[in-house]
Amino acid sequence: MMDKSKLSDPFEKARVEKGYGHMDDQNDPVTILLRHKDVRKTAHNWKTFQSGGEEVGRIVIPSEVKIRDTRQIPFEVDPPLHKEFRSLLDGWFKRPNEPAYQEKLHKQISALVDEVLNKDEVEVVRDFSLKLQSRALTLLLNTPFSESETWISWGTHVFRSEGESLDADKANILYNYIDERIIEAAKNPGEDLYSVLLGSEVNGKKLTHEEVKGIMILTFAGGRDTVINALTNSIAYFSEHPKSLHAIKENPEMINNAVEELIRYFAPLTHMGRVVTEDTQVCEHAIKADTRVSLCWASANRDAAVFENPNEVDFDRKMNPHVSFGFGTHNCLGATHARQIMRTLLGILAEKVASMDIINTDENIEELGEFDRKVGYNAITVKFNKY
């Protein structure tokens, strides 16, 4: 049965009938917005639906208020300051568009694919996706390749231990690591992101240690589970749809569309919160000030009002206004890097891998109040077959 790679849409009934759902998150309830137009409109309205509220970590779901007090930048900053940070960071985070960057990334991913092709079986989450994501991150940060070994050793759950939604001790491993790297860069500046940030100014002021730390935490945290989910789900998909991989081999110009469609369908990040600043309404539902809403990217991406046959993966989809990288002011800073990873991987898989067989899976199910959503896998074992 070909259904291990499927991601069903748990939000459909509620989206069609009322447009929202509810969940309780550590006694701080959340209204989940489900329709594409409401999600986009709300994301756009940063004054009423705030990212930069007083409580650091509250816009993340599950809330991180109890496990961190460093503000993630520019993610938890609203305009006008948000714009200053974004203009500082955008150029650096667009480097994956440069040929030299792409060449290094291609080399990294190619070597990893060769490695897995020589094994009887591979646990994809830990021994493929985590490795690929960590190694690629050395390019984004411009740090030595050897640093990736440290990040891989943390395992797939840096911010949560198995069974716990959040774990401050686990999170502190990352925070302490970043503190040490910033102190080191202050003493011996180099060409890496830490050093670049320490040498930068926003509104005429040098960035503080805490601000640099906030940017670095976001860079590590924002691009970890999401990229791992995207890579792992794509491997599962092509294992069950080898013809799609062969089609890419025959028509490499399909790759961009294929990447966008996989990212739409799998929505590697289910949702993101906002704090409501005044009593308001979304889809005729009253929402109180100082409560939270969630912008449910995964639901918006399956909205039949916008996408034809939304539950099918269609690489020929003409219109694809998916919101997997968010929308509006706070669209994803790492999107260029993530897309480049996916494009490179698809090209290399199409070229080197004849087929893949799923041996066993352990699905990762998120419990979101009335909805249970498969977001990917805790583990999936696959055999990669050479041509």
Side-chain angles (χ1 to χ4, degrees), residues 154-196:
W154 293 339
T156 44
H157 298 284
V158 189
F159 320 105
R160 51 201 67 176
S161 48
E162 300 300 336
E164 288 292 315
S165 62
L166 294 163
D167 181 340
D169 292 341
K170 267 290 185 77
N172 283 332
I173 295 173
L174 173 68
Y175 302 162
N176 295 338
Y177 169 87
I178 289 173
D179 280 332
E180 285 165 18
R181 290 297 170 279
I182 297 170
I183 292 163
E184 173 58 32
K187 282 187 204 150
N188 302 302
E191 304 288 306
D192 54 78
L193 182 54
Y194 306 94
S195 304
V196 169

Side-chain angles (χ1 to χ4, degrees), residues 33 37-46 49 282 293 295:
L33 308 181
K37 73 169 194 307
D38 293 326
V39 165
R40 293 219 318 189
K41 205 164 136 187
T42 305
H44 197 64
N45 180 0
W46 54 266
F49 302 97
V282 179
V293 297
L295 309 174

Side-chain angles (χ1 to χ4, degrees), residues 102-304:
Q102 292 174 15
E103 203 177 307
K104 287 178 192 160
L105 186 63
H106 191 278
K107 215 162 148 184
Q108 280 186 8
I109 297 177
S110 202
L112 185 59
V113 170
D114 289 344
E115 199 181 299
V116 298
L117 275 169
N118 288 317
K119 294 187 170 165
D120 291 339
E121 55 180 51
V122 177
E123 197 291 285
V124 172
V125 178
R126 192 187 58 241
D127 296 328
F128 185 82
S129 300
L130 171 63
K131 282 186 180 176
L132 196 162
Q133 183 272 334
S134 299
R135 290 171 181 179
L137 188 60
T138 63
L139 297 176
L140 189 62
L141 305 190
N142 207 20
T143 53
F145 183 78
S146 55
E147 285 295 289
S148 61
E149 292 307 319
T150 305
W151 310 334
I152 293 165
S153 76
W154 293 339
T156 44
H157 298 284
V158 189
F159 320 105
R160 51 201 67 176
S161 48
E162 300 300 336
E164 288 292 315
S165 62
L166 294 163
D167 181 340
D169 292 341
K170 267 290 185 77
N172 283 332
I173 295 173
L174 173 68
Y175 302 162
N176 295 338
Y177 169 87
I178 289 173
D179 280 332
E180 285 165 18
R181 290 297 170 279
I182 297 170
I183 292 163
E184 173 58 32
K187 282 187 204 150
N188 302 302
E191 304 288 306
D192 54 78
L193 182 54
Y194 306 94
S195 304
V196 169
L197 293 174
L198 286 168
S200 299
E201 292 184 354
V202 161
N203 288 338
K205 287 197 202 88
K206 282 263 198 247
L207 267 63
T208 63
H209 177 105
E210 193 66 6
E211 287 170 333
V212 173
K213 185 177 179 178
I215 294 168
M216 297 309 300
I217 292 174
L218 176 62
T219 307
F220 273 97
R224 194 174 174 90
D225 293 359
T226 47
V227 170
I228 290 170
N229 286 339
L231 297 171
T232 308
N233 283 325
S234 299
I235 298 279
Y237 178 79
F238 288 119
S239 300
E240 295 194 322
H241 302 86
K243 283 184 180 154
S244 296
L245 202 54
H246 298 153
I248 288 173
K249 186 181 171 73
E250 298 304 310
N251 310 289
E253 66 281 359
M254 283 172 63
I255 287 180
N256 285 357
N257 278 5
V259 166
E260 296 307 312
E261 178 63 352
L262 291 167
I263 286 172
R264 176 197 71 86
Y265 180 80
F266 290 119
L269 178 68
T270 301
H271 58 172
M272 186 46 70
R274 296 284 188 269
V275 177
V276 183
T277 57
E278 58 188 1
D279 290 357
T280 187
Q281 279 198 330
V282 179
C283 47
E284 291 158 21
H285 173 64
I287 299 178
K288 287 251 168 264
D290 200 42
T291 62
R292 291 187 297 163
V293 297
S294 125
L295 309 174
C296 190
W297 317 121
S299 170
N301 282 350
R302 299 291 185 97
D303 191 334

